[in-house]
Each structure stands twice: as C-alpha cells, then as structure tokens.
Amino acid sequence: MALRQIRVDGDEVLRKISKKVEKIDDDLKILVEDMFETMYDADGVGLAAPQIGVLKRVIVIDIDVLKRVMINPEIIEQSDTEMQDGPEGCLSVPGVEDVVRRPNVLRVRYMDLEGNVVEEIAKDLYARVICHEVDHLNGILFTDKVLEK
Ligand code: NI
C-alpha cells in the first residue's frame, strides 16, 4: 500500500470527468487500498479516485458505521422534497467548511470489488457523502454548491 498525493482545488484533474471502470483487476485493487490508506491518513470519510489524480469512477467511504468501495456508482433515485442542509468539507479544499443542500434519501447502484452489482438506499450522512464523492467523478466540488447566505 502507498500513500498518494491528494490533489487540491486549482488542479485541473479535479475538473475532469472520470471514466467508467471496465474490469476489476489487480491494479484496481491496489488503487482502492491506496485510496483507503490516503483517506485515513488525512482523516477523511470519503475519497474519490480523481482526488489522487486517477480519472476512474471509483469512490471509497468509511463513516464508522459502514465502509464501502463503489465502482461506477450511480445515483438512480433521490428525494427532491426531503433535503438536508449540512456542513461539508473536502480533502481537496483544505480549511473550508460550508453548508450544502443534499437529498436526505437516495438510491445508489454500484459494483463492489468482487464485481457484484449492488443497490442500496442511503440516508442522512451516508447519502451526503455519496453525493459529494459522485460529484468528484463529474468534476464538481462542494464549493460549487454552497448555499447562498
Ligand atoms: Ni471531496
């Protein structure tokens, strides 16, 4: 395992669209291990591959109560009436915390590291982290979505 360098806002890799993963191989497994190590080292709860300069649709999440690897995640349904406004930060935007509106409930579909297609309902913090990390795969940072004060 290796620590990777976290890219910060201003690095254009953070603004690119990541590519779908076509196959799960050893390189991908190493990428995922490195992402967890890098995320834990930086005290984060989620990390997307482009944040370490890899334009692949892979995210890792660990919010204590659950830990996930999501390959090619897609939010296939989300509440548009039940929203949550809450503080967010990002390892790629150090020192900034601001309030972002996210759906309170969503349904996500992804592939796990064994290649199984998984569908899950996510709520509250879990839903927020998924939205934040999927945004990274589309070149979006949370600072693009901060609520007007
Ligand atoms: Ni982030």
Side-chain angles (χ1 to χ4, degrees):
M1 293 209 286
L3 273 184
R4 309 269 190 118
Q5 192 198 336
I6 297 177
R7 306 300 185 90
V8 295
D9 192 10
D11 189 322
E12 65 179 37
V13 78
L14 293 172
R15 294 305 187 174
K16 302 233 158 101
I17 309 283
S18 292
K19 293 206 172 69
K20 261 186 116 167
V21 172
E22 299 297 343
K23 74 172 189 241
I24 297 169
D25 55 13
D26 287 348
D27 284 352
L28 188 79
K29 288 176 182 165
I30 290 166
L31 172 69
V32 167
E33 283 183 7
D34 289 356
M35 285 174 68
F36 274 116
E37 188 177 349
T38 303
M39 178 180 78
Y40 292 139
D41 181 69
D43 250 337
V45 296
L47 191 77
Q51 292 183 271
I52 56 164
V54 177
L55 289 170
K56 289 184 179 167
R57 301 188 82 81
V58 179
I59 65 179
V60 298
I61 293 171
D62 190 337
I63 53 169
D64 292 332
V65 289
L66 55 84
K67 177 178 169 178
R68 294 285 186 275
V69 176
M70 296 187 182
I71 299 161
N72 303 331
E74 279 176 90
I75 295 166
I76 53 176
E77 222 182 299
Q78 60 184 46
S79 61
D80 44 16
T81 49
E82 255 187 278
M83 306 299 282
Q84 51 171 329
D85 295 343
E88 256 175 63
C90 178
L91 297 177
S92 294
V93 192
V96 178
E97 191 175 272
D98 232 321
V99 175
V100 182
R101 177 166 294 168
R102 301 288 192 183
N104 205 34
V105 189
L106 59 81
R107 184 189 297 271
V108 64
R109 182 191 292 146
Y110 60 92
M111 204 159 62
D112 68 16
L113 256 191
E114 282 72 52
N116 305 305
V117 176
V118 180
E119 261 188 43
E120 263 188 272
I121 305 269
K123 291 180 183 168
D124 307 322
L125 176 65
Y126 187 30
R128 174 177 297 282
V129 176
I130 291 170
C131 290
H132 179 114
E133 301 311 330
V134 169
D135 275 352
H136 275 300
L137 304 180
N138 296 318
I140 298 164
L141 297 176
F142 84 98
T143 43
D144 302 342
K145 296 189 161 176
V146 166
L147 291 181
E148 298 291 327
K149 283 174 200 133

